[in-house]
Amino acid sequence: MEKQAKSKKTSFKKNFALVRALIAVILAVVLLGVSGFAVIDLLAGPTEVTDGSTLASGQYVQIDVSYVMDIIGSESDASGNVVAYYAVVPVGNQFVAVRFPAAQYDEFEELKPRPPTISQGPAAP
C-alpha cells in the first residue's frame, strides 16, 4: 500500500511539473507575440544601413556616422542622470535622428561642424 501511495504522489508531482512547464511555454510564446518578437531582433544584432530609404521607426541599426548636424536632445533616468542623447545625422539622401549612449557624447561632439574662426589682425589703413 505504501508503494502505491508513493507512486501516486510521484506521478502527481510529475504531472504538476509538466503542466507548469506547458503553461510557461505558452506564456513565453504569448509574450513574444505581444512584443512583436523584438527580443529576437535584438539577438540578431543591428542592421547595417547605408541608404536611408530602408529605415523604419524604432529599428535597431548600425550606421557609420561621419558628420553630425547637431545634438538635439537628451534622455534622463529617474534620478536625473543623462543616459542618452539624440543627434541628427545624414543617412543616404536624408537626415535622421539617432539615439546614442551618454558615454559616446564626446565622440559625437567631435563630429559636429565647427564654426569658422575669424582672426583679427591690424586694421587696414
Side-chain angles (χ1 to χ4, degrees), residues 45-70:
T47 304
E48 185 70 33
V49 175
T50 56
D51 180 15
S53 64
T54 61
L55 291 175
S57 180
Q59 186 177 4
Y60 181 40
V61 298
Q62 179 176 343
I63 302 172
D64 287 330
V65 176
S66 58
Y67 180 75
V68 174
M69 288 294 294
D70 200 6

Side-chain angles (χ1 to χ4, degrees), residues 110-123:
E110 289 174 11
L111 296 174
K112 283 176 55 177
R114 300 283 179 239
T117 56
I118 300 173
S119 53
Q120 292 186 355

